[in-house]
Amino acid sequence: MLDLRRVFTLLESRLPGHTLPQEFYNDPEIFEFDLEAIHSRSWILVGVEAELPSAGSYLATTIGRSPVVVVRDNDGTLRGFHNSCRHRGAQICETGHGRKGRLVCPYHQWTYRLDGSLQGAARMQATFDPDAIRLQPVHLENVAGSLYVCLADEPPDFEEFRDGLTPLLAPHRLADAKLAHESTLVERANWKLVMENARECYHCAARHPGLSFPFPVRRGSRQPDSPVIQQFEARMAAAGLAVGPVEGEWWQASRFPLNEAASP
Ligand code: FES
């Protein structure tokens, strides 16, 4: 049983400007708290529309310990489900993406339509009603081709995020993009270390020398009063493109220039 007082006491012990107490990175009990308090209740980016190009396309992933699947129905609608069979809970679609005419559970072959309804279940008793059974839905949102899932019964507000991100992302027409390459990166670390690492570029010049060619890794080059930023903002304004930054309680977004030598 999770001791919430311990979690909050640890949080209060954090020194401002310092990293979290060690337990937040290596204590199994705190990890369980993360899964419940954050992964099970937040909007989480699961992919982009380019991964689901046609009817029957699916994208299967795991949020915390919960397998989920996003499916494109025959009429083009995207739907999100728990990727878990209503019979005995087997995972239906393999992790990754692909295309199927029906979703068939590998365990006993219950077969679901792309809208999540149960089409067939062999050798069930006469009283069995397939129309009463469908895959359990999850909340799914699409912002300019980027797909977000929330496992909570009552998800947090999404509209402020949609309104903030859409002007920045929509001009890139992600829904019309094609998947050209993908790679899977498994980081053997607590998820917070991965997030923290991604939020700072203090390490970039030393650890990713190739990145400093296209990406403005030096802090000064992205300050609002830098000539590069001012010229960029003028160019974007002339093209009618928003630059931000915009942010909310759990998100932020902005458009900034790559280094001149790396621009097409
Ligand atoms: Fe899926 Fe039995 S668990 S058909």
Side-chain angles (χ1 to χ4, degrees):
M1 179 80 142
L2 180 64
D3 181 355
L4 275 179
R5 279 172 310 180
R6 176 171 170 257
V7 176
F8 289 113
T9 302
L10 277 168
L11 269 179
E12 283 165 7
S13 73
R14 179 193 177 208
L15 295 172
H18 289 68
T19 191
L20 289 162
Q22 185 188 56
E23 288 86 341
F24 283 91
Y25 303 98
N26 64 6
D27 186 317
E29 189 179 41
I30 301 277
F31 182 63
E32 293 302 320
F33 173 77
D34 291 348
L35 294 183
E36 172 57 32
I38 298 174
H39 293 77
S40 297
R41 300 187 191 190
S42 308
W43 287 105
I44 293 182
L45 176 70
V46 294
V48 294
E49 267 201 68
E51 295 173 89
L52 299 133
S54 54
S57 296
Y58 72 87
L59 164 63
T61 188
T62 301
I63 297 177
R65 295 197 182 92
S66 301
V68 296
V69 62
V70 179
V71 181
R72 192 181 287 281
D73 198 353
N74 288 321
D75 66 0
T77 306
L78 292 172
R79 302 175 196 278
F81 303 107
H82 286 277
N83 188 12
S84 177
C85 183
R86 299 306 304 276
H87 179 219
R88 286 180 54 195
Q91 182 169 324
I92 298 171
C93 295
E94 287 176 21
T95 300
H97 48 83
R99 190 159 175 251
K100 296 172 186 279
R102 297 279 183 272
L103 308 181
V104 182
C105 176
Y107 197 2
H108 312 97
Q109 272 75 55
W110 279 26
T111 301
Y112 300 87
R113 300 179 187 90
L114 300 177
D115 66 1
S117 60
L118 182 64
Q119 181 180 31
R123 303 195 307 280
M124 300 302 288
Q125 64 273 35
T127 54
F128 180 78
D129 178 11
D131 293 339
I133 295 175
R134 44 191 317 123
L135 292 177
Q136 200 72 32
V138 294
H139 298 282
L140 173 70
E141 293 286 356
N142 184 348
V143 183
S146 59
L147 306 174
Y148 303 81
V149 162
C150 180
L151 300 176
D153 292 339
E154 294 183 18
D157 177 66
F158 193 82
E159 294 315 305
E160 187 192 15
F161 174 63
R162 186 198 306 284
D163 292 346
L165 184 59
T166 298
L168 289 161
L169 194 56
H172 297 282
R173 297 171 50 206
L174 274 185
D176 299 328
K178 284 194 167 45
L179 192 63
H181 174 75
E182 67 181 320
S183 67
T184 301
L185 195 62
V186 179
E187 302 199 40
R188 296 172 62 83
N190 182 268
W191 68 277
K192 289 188 284 290
L193 286 171
V194 180
M195 295 298 293
E196 289 168 4
N197 180 72
R199 296 310 307 140
E200 50 94 343
C201 216
Y202 189 38
H203 67 285
C204 290
R207 298 307 306 161
H208 310 298
L211 183 65
S212 60
F213 173 60
F215 192 82
V217 298
R218 301 283 179 206
R219 181 176 166 77
S221 62
R222 289 176 55 185
Q223 294 304 299
D225 56 356
S226 113
V228 170
I229 293 295
Q230 290 183 348
Q231 285 167 15
F232 173 76
E233 291 188 353
R235 207 151 44 94
M236 295 301 104
L241 294 171
V243 296
V246 286
E247 62 181 51
E249 195 178 335
W250 50 272
W251 58 276
Q252 59 179 201
S254 67
R255 190 190 309 282
F256 60 85
L258 297 178
N259 291 333
E260 198 62 39
S263 298

